[in-house]
Amino acid sequence: MSEIDRLLREYDRARAYTDELWRDLSPDEVVWRPHENSSAIGWHLGHQAHVAHFMVRNLTAAEPSPDPELDGIMDSAQPERFRGALPTVERLTLFRDTVAERVHARLGDIAGGRVAAPDQLAVVGRHLLIALINHEYQHDQWIGEVRSRDLGHELPPDPDTDLVGRVDGYLMLS
């Protein structure tokens, strides 16, 4: 198994952990914001996927966004109060799943050498996946804070892997 394949498994583990943080919440809890200058759990979910696709499409393969209307909403450069209404939980789920499929497809092509510069893109792909995994966990920290502190829900246990530890309180690939 290639390093990219192992990292794709860790990417899936990080996404599964994210799902544990929000799948049992009501749609109202997913879009609730603690205050005007705070992001809802739903925004973090969309942002995680937005960044993943943005990085894959800009670093490894030019392809259009799976949902261009969400790009402006999910961009962290846009101040919270100007991000607009969040999409439905169903649309967020579809967006996240579609992006994950695109990450797997493109990185699978790289791992399989089905790209023009296979050695160069293998290096890019490894670093890209590490960044995506750590970004997923970064936002999981904030999702977890709203989930537990503001909404009163228990947190799930940390992912069951020796490859992830905590740095400054954040889960990270070690």
Side-chain angles (χ1 to χ4, degrees):
M1 178 181 300
S2 76
E3 187 174 356
I4 287 177
D5 290 328
R6 283 191 295 277
L7 287 169
L8 281 169
R9 288 171 118 176
E10 289 304 315
Y11 173 66
D12 290 342
R13 186 184 325 270
R15 290 186 68 253
Y17 181 74
T18 302
D19 286 345
E20 288 185 58
L21 289 169
W22 77 275
R23 291 272 184 174
D24 64 335
L25 301 178
S26 72
D28 286 341
E29 289 174 314
V30 172
V31 300
W32 178 79
R33 293 170 55 184
H35 53 80
E36 180 183 87
N37 292 318
S38 180
S39 300
I41 287 172
W43 180 84
H44 291 284
L45 298 172
H47 175 73
Q48 288 165 318
H50 169 72
V51 168
H53 192 263
F54 184 83
M55 289 179 70
V56 167
R57 78 180 194 218
N58 282 285
L59 297 176
T60 68
E63 65 176 37
S65 171
D67 194 334
E69 291 178 13
L70 294 183
D71 290 346
I73 296 170
M74 300 306 170
D75 189 338
S76 61
Q78 182 77 280
E80 286 92 345
R81 65 184 181 274
F82 299 126
R83 288 183 184 154
L86 289 173
T88 64
V89 169
E90 294 79 17
R91 188 172 174 192
L92 280 170
T93 301
L94 177 62
F95 183 58
R96 287 179 57 79
D97 291 347
T98 301
V99 168
E101 289 168 9
R102 297 305 313 140
V103 168
H104 272 272
R106 185 59 181 162
L107 276 294
D109 286 346
I110 291 169
R114 296 180 298 276
V115 293
D119 293 336
Q120 185 267 348
L121 280 177
V123 172
V124 170
R126 283 191 302 272
H127 292 284
L128 171 63
L129 279 167
I130 291 167
L132 294 182
I133 293 163
N134 287 334
H135 182 255
E136 189 81 13
Y137 285 135
Q138 177 185 31
H139 285 272
D140 286 349
Q141 178 68 26
W142 301 329
I143 291 169
E145 289 170 2
V146 171
R147 174 190 173 85
S148 64
R149 180 192 62 221
D150 298 318
L151 298 175
H153 294 280
E154 292 289 321
L155 291 173
D158 288 352
D160 185 22
T161 176
D162 293 336
L163 299 177
V164 173
R166 289 203 176 260
V167 176
D168 293 332
Y170 291 82
L171 290 169
M172 290 192 75
L173 195 61
S174 54

